[in-house]
Amino acid sequence: MTSRHVGASLQNTFYVDRDDIRHLARLSGNGRREHINWEAATKAGFERLVAPNALIVSYFETVACALFDVCAAGRLTDLTMGITNPVYAGDRLTVSVSIAVWIEDTKSACVNFQALKEGSLQPVAFGSAWLSLK
């Protein structure tokens, strides 16, 4: 388990799989064709199949779980996220999570996160969230 203190951080790299995009889009009820159909995505002006924002959130949750050695599902509040560029099937994303605030009494933290595409220094997603560990 990573120490729970301000500045502690962890990162992981994920391959954005087209089947993951399609499955998540269907499971979440996000029926936008750009998430399900490759041809529709390119006709709409995208390079490839586009990942729903929820997929990036799931990557963020995975890294947060590893950082705190707990399941983050249901523990996140006040999630704020910005998306700067689309994430496509076939991309590799490195997701970093760092502790900005740690409150020992309540076992809660404010964490910052960002996602970078392989070969880029410009984040495609960034944000913060509160995580309660109680």
Side-chain angles (χ1 to χ4, degrees), residues 50-102:
V50 181
N53 294 345
L55 186 60
I56 298 165
V57 172
S58 71
Y59 295 154
F60 159 60
E61 286 181 334
T62 299
V63 177
C65 286
L67 177 62
F68 289 101
D69 197 26
V70 297
C71 177
R75 298 175 185 259
L76 294 176
T77 61
D78 301 315
L79 174 68
T80 303
M81 184 168 80
I83 303 290
T84 60
N85 290 300
V87 174
Y88 298 111
D91 284 346
R92 288 194 184 282
L93 291 184
T94 298
V95 176
S96 302
V97 175
S98 63
I99 301 173
V101 175
W102 171 251

Side-chain angles (χ1 to χ4, degrees), residues 21-22 24-33 35-36 52-54:
I21 292 172
R22 289 177 176 147
L24 182 59
R26 287 188 181 114
L27 287 171
S28 68
N30 186 341
R32 291 192 52 199
R33 305 276 303 152
H35 302 311
I36 299 168
N53 294 345

Side-chain angles (χ1 to χ4, degrees), residues 2 8 12 33 59 65-66 83 88 101 113 116 121 130 134:
T2 302
N12 194 11
R33 305 276 303 152
Y59 295 154
C65 286
I83 303 290
Y88 298 111
V101 175
F113 67 92
L116 298 170
L121 298 176
W130 279 93
K134 278 191 169 182

